[in-house]
């Protein structure tokens, strides 16, 4: 690894789709040096562990596997002049903006004109989901499964998959490609979380989909032998894939000057991706968990363009104002709206914590300026137009009943 710079124009933390897309846009804009840092040994983010398609339609107008997609992102960034350093852990965020890092070369400090945080999201663990029982081998997150499959290992033959977010179907497809046949998919609610027609896929694969079902206990000593369900049934299995329920991978915020949003767990930003501390920006699944690689790529490009404008004094200093909200909205991004050019995020992104129907309204100074009837499930992307700054923006959700 070459020596890390002591000073640089832009540091991007995270070499996934959002970070690499932003780096490419900033470097292509010219006039600045861009480095990307990633703690993994190889750049490309989560997609490089997913041997299946579809990737790349939004970005490159062709179907690609995850590794091919990740490789293309890296190549395009390097072609634009971006320098990528892997095996680098960012340990602290300081005003400046300044970051502290560590690598095989030892600790170092880097001062930049702008820092973009694009560290992505992580799946919640078995412990965080309060699943009881023993602690045998064979309980994996989707990410851990993909890593093992990438190295040719087969950790089990007949696992159970917990969850029906898009990542759970990615796990199902990865298992199929590796010759692993899941026993069942388990969904605690009465509906599949991922969008239709993904719910048809388990049946096509001969995998039962059990809704309204919880996993209450894991059995086994050295290895998983079964899982006990809330219905009283026990499934004989040799593994458990605990998928989804993502949350931003944001431990760096804890000791930093950057204000975290209490609902998403990620940094609070305005539509330009600016954090509360000057010079820091954020993009991708660090903002809210979780979106597709294509969405994160698009978001990285948009915020990359805003960062390039910032470097050329093209963004206003006004931090804007918080967007008020009412009703059962579990997440809102961005949380602030500032005056300035038409750059950055193009819409408000909302999520709800439970499946519901209702009326969603965007208000300015108490008057409704946009709205729609909402029928949504948890973790679904809900979009509204960005309100104008300085007009008392508010998002209001009035439920008409849960489902």
């Amino acid at each position: 690894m070459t020596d890390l710079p002591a000073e640089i124009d832009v540091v991007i933390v995270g070499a996934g789709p959002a970070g690499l897309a932003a780096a490419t846009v900033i470097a292509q804009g010219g006039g600045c040096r861009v480095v990307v840092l990633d703690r993994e040994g190889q750049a490309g983010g989560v997609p490089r562990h997913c041997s299946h398609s579809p990737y790349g339609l939004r970005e490159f107008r062709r179907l690609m596997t995850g590794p091919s997609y990740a490789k293309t992102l890296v190549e395009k960034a390097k072609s634009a002049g971006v320098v990528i350093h892997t095996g680098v852990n960012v340990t602290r965020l300081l005003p400046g903006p300044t970051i502290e890092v560590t690598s095989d070369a030892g600790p170092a400090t880097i001062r930049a004109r702008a820092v973009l945080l694009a560290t992505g999201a992580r799946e919640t663990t078995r412990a965080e989901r309060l699943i009881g029982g023993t602690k045998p081998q064979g309980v994996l997150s989707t990410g851990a499964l993909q890593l093992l499959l990438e190295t040719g290992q087969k950790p089990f033959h007949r696992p159970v998959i917990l969850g029906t977010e898009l990542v759970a179907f990615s796990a199902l497809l990865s298992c199929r490609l590796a010759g692993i046949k899941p026993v069942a998919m388990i969904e605690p609610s009465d509906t599949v979380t991922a969008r239709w027609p993904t719910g048809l896929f388990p049946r096509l694969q001969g995998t039962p989909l059990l809704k309204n079902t919880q996993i209450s206990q894991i059995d086994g000593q050295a290895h998983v032998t079964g899982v006990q369900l809330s219905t009283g049934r026990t499934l004989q299995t040799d593994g458990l894939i605990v998928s989804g329920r993502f949350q931003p991978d944001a431990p760096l915020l804890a000791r930093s000057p950057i204000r975290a949003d209490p609902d998403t767990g990620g940094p609070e930003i305005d539509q330009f991706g600016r954090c509360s501390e000057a010079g820091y920006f954020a993009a991708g699944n660090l903002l809210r968990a979780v979106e597709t690689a294509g969405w994160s790529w698009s978001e990285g490009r948009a915020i990359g363009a805003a960062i390039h404008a910032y470097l050329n004094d093209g963004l206003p200093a006004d931090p804007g104002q918080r967007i008020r909200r009412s009703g059962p909205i579990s997440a809102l991004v961005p949380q602030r709206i500032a005056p300035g050019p038409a750059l950055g995020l193009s819409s408000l992104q909302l999520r709800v914590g439970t499946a519901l129907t209702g009326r969603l309204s965007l208000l300015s100074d108490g008057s409704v300026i946009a709205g729609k009837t909402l029928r949504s499930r948890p973790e679904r992307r809900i979009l509204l137009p960005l309100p104008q700054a300085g007009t008392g923006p508010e998002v209001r959700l009035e439920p008409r009943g849960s489902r």
Side-chain angles (χ1 to χ4, degrees), residues 122-124 129 142 162-163 165 167-168 242-247:
R122 67 173 181 85
E123 294 171 281
T124 55
R129 299 193 192 195
T142 310
L162 174 60
E165 293 177 46
V167 68
V242 182
S243 74
R245 289 199 186 177
F246 285 90
Q247 54 186 288

Side-chain angles (χ1 to χ4, degrees), residues 97-319:
T98 300
I99 64 172
E100 294 180 352
V101 305
T102 184
S103 66
D104 290 344
T109 300
I110 305 174
R111 182 179 177 85
R113 295 170 62 196
V115 172
L116 172 66
L117 305 176
T119 52
R122 67 173 181 85
E123 294 171 281
T124 55
T125 64
R126 165 203 176 164
E128 290 171 317
R129 299 193 192 195
L130 304 177
I131 301 175
T134 55
K135 297 182 180 179
Q137 294 185 15
V139 181
L140 301 174
S141 67
T142 310
L145 169 68
Q146 305 283 20
L147 284 171
L148 291 175
L149 296 180
E150 184 181 1
T151 59
Q153 300 180 63
K154 189 180 291 188
F156 32 56
H157 297 279
R158 293 181 56 79
V160 168
I161 300 174
L162 174 60
T164 58
E165 293 177 46
L166 192 59
V167 68
F169 296 97
S170 174
L172 180 59
L173 186 52
S174 293
C175 284
R176 175 193 175 196
L177 294 174
I180 298 171
K181 185 173 177 56
V183 174
M185 292 188 77
I186 306 296
E187 171 52 49
S189 75
D190 62 352
T191 57
V192 172
T193 302
R195 294 185 183 276
W196 189 89
T198 51
L200 303 177
F201 189 57
R203 182 183 303 173
L204 295 175
Q205 298 301 309
T207 303
L209 173 58
L210 308 180
K211 302 176 186 177
N212 289 315
T213 305
Q214 300 274 1
I215 293 179
S216 56
Q217 182 171 305
I218 299 172
D219 298 331
Q221 295 302 317
H223 299 276
V224 175
T225 60
V227 294
Q228 296 184 27
L229 308 181
S230 56
T231 58
R233 181 181 175 187
T234 297
L235 292 179
Q236 302 301 313
T237 178
D238 62 353
L240 174 62
I241 303 168
V242 182
S243 74
R245 289 199 186 177
F246 285 90
Q247 54 186 288
D249 193 358
L252 283 172
L253 300 185
R255 297 172 56 228
S256 81
I258 296 171
R259 184 164 55 246
D261 177 61
D263 296 311
T264 64
E268 177 188 299
I269 64 164
D270 65 11
Q271 77 271 30
F272 305 121
R274 293 187 298 186
C275 301
S276 59
E277 179 66 22
Y280 281 98
F281 294 74
N285 284 329
L286 176 64
L287 299 179
R288 67 3 347 235
V290 62
E291 280 292 353
T292 63
W295 183 271
S296 296
W297 172 87
S298 179
E299 197 167 70
R301 287 182 58 84
I303 292 179
I307 292 174
H308 193 271
Y310 168 80
L311 296 173
N312 292 279
D313 299 321
L315 294 186
D318 188 341

Side-chain angles (χ1 to χ4, degrees), residues 320-324 337-339 362-367 369 386-394:
Q321 58 182 308
R322 288 188 64 85
I323 301 171
R324 300 191 307 272
I337 188 75
L362 177 64
L363 295 86
S364 175
D365 290 331
S367 299
I369 58 175
L386 278 174
Q388 294 183 350
T391 56
E394 178 185 354

